Amino acid sequence: MLPDPQSNCLNLWVYIDVRTSLVERVAGRAYVIDGTEDERYAVLKNLSTSDYATAETTGVPKRFVAVPPVPGIPSIEGAVHVDELQNPATMNAIFEPLLRKIEANLPQQFTFDGSGEPSVWKASIPDNALFVVTGLLEQLDGTLVPQAGTAHE
């Protein structure tokens, strides 16, 4: 029996420079989690404080350009201010390349159809997938401090 496509969910992370509040890279990881939306959210939130260490990572697309709030630092290609992620269009544009990368790397699964014939199945990321976004504050010493994740669908 194949998993319900609605059980496909994601943890997404944004790496936030503690000095400038700029985001230059993002990360994500796909899961198949059974249960109610609340149960799946609880699992994602629990995993959000540690699974970034093994997540797929990519830079913010170069078309985004940020002006750091620190005087004397030039504009930075491939960066956004963390507040810009409140805009769903910006959030989608920043995470879209990462989501396609994650989906492309999902493994094929072998199963059998109703008549006993072998078939290949591969999970996908639905447009309405439940996901949690967690900020990772990058400290001056390189330490990452996860912030509370928020659920989205």
Side-chain angles (χ1 to χ4, degrees), residues 9-58:
C9 1
L10 298 154
N11 259 324
L12 302 173
W13 294 272
V14 293
Y15 290 78
I16 306 164
D17 184 296
V18 72
R19 293 168 297 179
T20 62
S21 296
L22 294 181
V23 175
E24 294 183 67
R25 62 189 166 122
V26 294
R29 186 163 181 179
Y31 306 87
V32 175
I33 304 172
D34 289 327
T36 67
E37 185 174 306
D38 287 342
E39 290 168 338
R40 292 184 295 136
Y41 169 67
V43 170
L44 288 172
K45 191 164 183 176
N46 189 38
L47 294 170
S48 72
T49 60
S50 59
D51 268 8
Y52 61 88
T54 58
E56 197 72 50
T57 307
T58 191

Side-chain angles (χ1 to χ4, degrees), residues 61 63-64 80 84-97:
R63 71 177 183 267
F64 291 95
V80 295
E84 292 180 59
L85 297 178
Q86 298 301 316
N87 179 336
T90 301
M91 179 114 153
N92 288 342
I94 288 172
F95 278 105
E96 183 65 27

Side-chain angles (χ1 to χ4, degrees), residues 57-104:
T57 307
T58 191
V60 169
K62 296 290 183 194
R63 71 177 183 267
F64 291 95
V65 178
V67 178
V70 180
I73 297 179
S75 297
I76 301 171
E77 281 187 1
V80 295
H81 191 275
V82 69
D83 291 344
E84 292 180 59
L85 297 178
Q86 298 301 316
N87 179 336
T90 301
M91 179 114 153
N92 288 342
I94 288 172
F95 278 105
E96 183 65 27
L98 176 65
L99 296 179
R100 294 311 123 225
K101 184 176 179 184
I102 291 170
E103 192 170 52

